[in-house]
Amino acid sequence: MTRAADHDAVVIGAGFAGMYMLHRLRGLGLSVRVFETGDGVGGTWYWNRYPGARCDVESMEYSYSFDDDLQQEWEWTERYPSQPEILRYADHVADRFDLRRDIRFETRVTRAAYDESANVWRVETDRGDRVSATYLITAVGCLSAARVPAFPGRGTFLGPSHHTGRWPHEGVDFIGKRVAVIGTGSSGIQAIPVIAEQAAHVTVFQRTPNYSLPAHNRPMEPEYARWVKANYARIRDAMRNSANGLMTAGNDGSVLAAGEVERLAEFEARWARGGVGLLGAYGDIVVSPEANELTAEFVRAKIRGIVENPEVAERLTPRDHPIGTKRICVDTGYYATFNLPHVTLVDVRRDPIQEIVPTGVRTAGGEHPADMIVYATGYDALTGPLLAIDLTGKGGLSLRHKWAAGPRAYLGVMTAGFPNLFTITGPGSPSVLSNMMVSIEQHVDWIAGCVARLRADGIAVIDADPVAEDAWVAHVNEVAGYTLYPRADSWYMGANIPGKPRVFMPYIGGVGAYREKCDQVAADGYPGFVLS
Ligand code: N01
C-alpha cells in the first residue's frame, strides 16, 4: 500500500499544546511526528528558567484535566507553581504517556508548504528533515519568539547577557555582580527581587511602569488540594465555561455602583488574597475608564505605601495605560526591592538608553557599569512564532504576506488558504487572555474532533471560508473595541515590536462563550469551513 504522506500529522512544538495534541492524535490511530527546538518538552517552561519564574495561575488550575489519574496523582507543592516544578510536571506527562518516541528534539521547523496536487504539507527543518503530512498543527506557543531590542553596541558588551526566555540551563551566578536588568514586564518583575538577593548592585532600566499585584505564594495546603481533587470534575467544568479559564469567577457588579467603603474593602480583600483576582473585583474594570481609574488608583496608593523614597515611588507608578490593558503582573516583593540600597531605578523615557558599551549600559545621563545584562524585553507575541516559519499555503500564498496587516484566522484556529493547517491558541482565540491550559485543551480537543470527523466522512481537505474568516476577524475587533484594551501600547496590540501592525490579537469574548461557538460549529457540520 502506498502512503500519500510520511505522517498523518506533523505537530510543531512539544510544550503543553504539542504534547497533548500528540496524545490525542495517537488515540485516533494517527501517525504523528512532533518537531521541537529544545532538547526537552515543556515549551515556555523549558525556556524560561530565569530566577523567580513562576506561573501566576494557581497550580491546581494550571494543569491538564484530560486524565483523571494524572490530576489525582500529581502533587503540587506550592499555591503558584515554580518553573522547575512545572517542567517536572511536563517531563512526568511525557514519560507517563510515552510521548518522547514521536518527538524529534533539537529540531526547528523552518519551512512548511502546502502541496495542492498531493494534498500534503511538505515540512522542512534546520536538521535537514524533509517530511510530508496530511495535517499540520502549530503548537508553537504565544510568547516564544524572544526579542532583544537592537540597542547600538549590543555585541560589544564584555560580560554575559541573557534574555529571560532563553535562560542558561546551568543557571546564572549573580553573587558579587553588578547586574543591569532591562525591562519591567512580568518576567523582569519576577526576576528583579531574586537577582537583588544575590547581586552586588542591580540597575533596573524601566521604560513603562507596570501594575503589579502581590502573589502571596505559599506552600500548598494539603486540605485544599484534597478538596480540589475531590471536586475536580465540577471545578474543571466551571473553568471551561468561565470567562478566563480560572476557578474563581469575577464579579459582574460595577465599581461605580459600589460605594467607597465597599469598593475599598473588596479591593483590600483581593489584594490580601493575592494573584490577579483584583481585576475580577467588578465587571466594569476593563470597560469603563472611570471604574478602571478607581482600581488603578488603589494600586498606585499601594505602591506609594511600599516604596519609601517618594521620587522612586512616583517613577514606579503607572499612569499611561488603564490597569489590566497591559498584562497585569504578579510579584513577590517587587516594589519593596526598590527600598534596597543596592537597587537603582533608571527611567529610560527620561534618560534613554543610547548604547550598550563593553562595560555597561550608557544612557543620556551617563554610563551605568554592569558585569552582566539581563534582557527582560519580551516577545514578538502570538504571530512571531508562526511567522518565523516560512509557511506557504495554496497557490504559493505566504502567511507573512497574508498577515502583513495583522493576523486573520477563522475562529482563531484556521486561516483561509492554508488547508489542513490548525493553529493551537493562535491569534483570534482567547489564548493569552485565559488560563492557557484550559485554552490548549479546548483547541486540541476541537482539532482532534475535527480530524476524526474528516477521516470518518472521507473528507480530504478542510479550509476556512474567507467570508467566515472576515466576519470572525471583524467580531474579534468589535469585542475588543468594547473594552479599554486597545488603549494600551501592549504586546496584545503588537505595539512592542517596531513596525508590527497594531491589532488586538487575542479574542476577548471569553473562554466559555468561545468554546460554545466552536462546539456549535462542529455540531453543525463546520459552517464557515470549506470541506472537500
Ligand atoms: O515581556 P513584556 P515579559 N527599551 O513584553 C521593556 C507572560 N509571562 O517577558 O512596556 C527599554 O511584558 C518593555 O517596556 P514597554 C505574560 O503574559 C507570565 O516580561 O514596552 N525597555 C517592558 O517593560 C507577560 O505579559 C509570567 O515600554 C524595553 C519589558 O521590556 C508576557 O509573558 C511571567 C525595550 C518587556 O515586557 C511577557 O512578559 C513572565 C526597549 N527598547 C511572563 N523593549 C507569569 O505567569 C522592551 N522593553 C507570572
Side-chain angles (χ1 to χ4, degrees), residues 416-444:
F418 294 75
N420 296 351
L421 167 68
F422 298 93
T423 303
I424 303 176
T425 65
S429 75
S431 69
V432 291
L433 297 175
S434 67
N435 175 354
M436 285 300 289
M437 288 300 231
V438 173
S439 287
I440 283 171
E441 285 195 329
Q442 186 256 331
H443 263 181
V444 169

Side-chain angles (χ1 to χ4, degrees), residues 16 19 42 45 53-94 96 217-229 232 235-236 239 247 435 437-438 441:
F16 284 117
M19 289 200 292
W45 303 102
R54 185 178 293 285
C55 188
D56 58 10
V57 174
E58 294 196 25
S59 304
M60 299 305 291
E61 298 164 56
Y62 193 80
S63 50
Y64 286 125
S65 70
F66 70 83
D67 185 279
D68 194 46
D69 290 342
L70 170 65
Q71 69 181 5
Q72 294 298 332
E73 286 167 28
W74 182 262
E75 304 281 353
W76 294 103
T77 65
E78 293 178 274
R79 178 184 183 189
Y80 293 101
S82 68
Q83 175 274 332
E85 187 158 64
I86 302 173
L87 194 55
R88 276 199 298 281
Y89 174 73
D91 277 323
H92 169 80
V93 171
R96 187 175 181 119
N217 186 38
R218 55 175 180 260
M220 178 64 69
E221 288 149 10
E223 200 44 43
Y224 176 69
R226 266 196 299 278
W227 176 81
V228 173
K229 286 183 179 186
Y232 248 146
I235 289 170
R236 296 290 201 188
M239 288 163 63
M247 205 168 128
N435 175 354
M437 288 300 231
V438 173
E441 285 195 329

Side-chain angles (χ1 to χ4, degrees), residues 35-49:
F35 290 109
E36 164 57 50
T37 307
D39 70 2
V41 297
T44 292
W45 303 102
Y46 169 93
W47 296 104
N48 278 268
R49 300 175 189 235

Side-chain angles (χ1 to χ4, degrees), residues 50 54 56 183-187 190 207-208 326-327 376 378 491:
Y50 63 85
R54 185 178 293 285
D56 58 10
T184 54
S186 297
S187 304
Q190 284 189 325
R207 188 164 67 182
T208 310
K326 288 179 99 158
R327 173 62 146 69
W491 57 255

Side-chain angles (χ1 to χ4, degrees), residues 3 23 55 79 138 145-146 148 171 200 232 242 292 316 470 487:
R3 288 178 64 97
H23 179 67
C55 188
R79 178 184 183 189
T138 65
V148 175
Y232 248 146
S242 69
N292 189 282
L316 284 166
D470 287 349
R487 297 190 184 194

Side-chain angles (χ1 to χ4, degrees), residues 99-397:
L99 299 179
R100 289 177 218 276
R101 65 185 155 87
D102 286 326
I103 305 173
R104 194 160 153 78
F105 291 104
E106 294 182 88
T107 308
R108 176 186 288 279
V109 171
T110 51
R111 189 163 191 277
Y114 179 65
D115 177 344
E116 201 168 345
S117 61
N119 184 33
V120 294
W121 279 93
R122 302 204 179 279
V123 179
E124 299 177 15
T125 76
D126 62 353
R127 295 268 292 255
D129 302 272
R130 301 281 182 276
V131 301
S132 60
T134 307
Y135 306 106
L136 178 64
I137 300 164
T138 65
V140 291
C142 302
L143 295 155
S144 50
R147 174 181 171 267
V148 175
F151 296 119
R154 221 176 68 203
T156 68
F157 186 62
L158 293 174
S161 22
H162 305 292
H163 187 283
T164 47
R166 291 289 177 274
W167 204 256
H169 290 199
E170 63 279 13
V172 175
D173 182 7
F174 298 104
I175 292 177
K177 300 278 192 326
R178 296 165 305 174
V179 184
V181 182
I182 305 177
T184 54
S186 297
S187 304
I189 280 177
Q190 284 189 325
I192 287 160
V194 185
I195 295 172
E197 283 171 13
Q198 302 172 24
H201 194 94
V202 182
T203 311
V204 176
F205 295 86
Q206 170 193 271
R207 188 164 67 182
T208 310
N210 241 317
Y211 299 94
S212 189
L213 308 174
H216 297 318
N217 186 38
R218 55 175 180 260
M220 178 64 69
E221 288 149 10
E223 200 44 43
Y224 176 69
R226 266 196 299 278
W227 176 81
V228 173
K229 286 183 179 186
N231 292 282
Y232 248 146
R234 178 177 59 74
I235 289 170
R236 296 290 201 188
D237 198 50
M239 288 163 63
R240 289 186 197 110
N241 292 298
S242 69
N244 49 18
L246 297 174
M247 205 168 128
T248 319
N251 288 338
D252 287 339
S254 162
V255 177
L256 302 174
E260 190 180 355
V261 173
E262 181 200 320
R263 181 180 79 233
L264 288 177
E266 183 66 25
F267 286 165
E268 286 291 356
R270 285 172 181 261
W271 180 272
R273 205 175 305 146
V276 299
L278 182 79
L279 290 182
Y282 295 95
D284 52 359
I285 291 176
V286 293
V287 181
S288 150
E290 297 77 27
N292 189 282
E293 181 56 22
L294 289 170
T295 316
E297 195 45 50
F298 173 80
V299 177
R300 293 186 196 121
K302 289 287 183 194
I303 299 170
R304 286 193 291 273
I306 298 169
V307 181
E308 289 157 9
N309 180 325
E311 200 215 316
V312 176
E314 182 51 32
R315 260 185 279 154
L316 284 166
T317 298
R319 297 188 189 282
D320 77 326
H321 62 282
I323 186 168
T325 56
K326 288 179 99 158
R327 173 62 146 69
I328 194 85
C329 301
V330 174
D331 71 277
T332 298
Y334 175 64
Y335 293 119
T337 299
F338 292 91
N339 294 333
L340 299 172
H342 67 292
V343 177
T344 312
L345 179 66
V346 179
D347 174 356
V348 305
R349 283 210 200 275
R350 272 195 268 167
D351 184 12
I353 296 175
Q354 290 183 332
E355 60 175 334
I356 307 293
V357 294
T359 50
V361 178
R362 188 192 304 286
T363 63
E367 185 182 328
H368 302 269
D371 305 309
M372 192 183 283
I373 300 178
V374 173
Y375 290 100
T377 45
Y379 298 87
D380 185 351
L382 286 142
T383 52
L386 291 165
L387 298 180
I389 305 165
D390 181 9
L391 280 165
T392 314
K394 259 161 84 173
L397 174 67

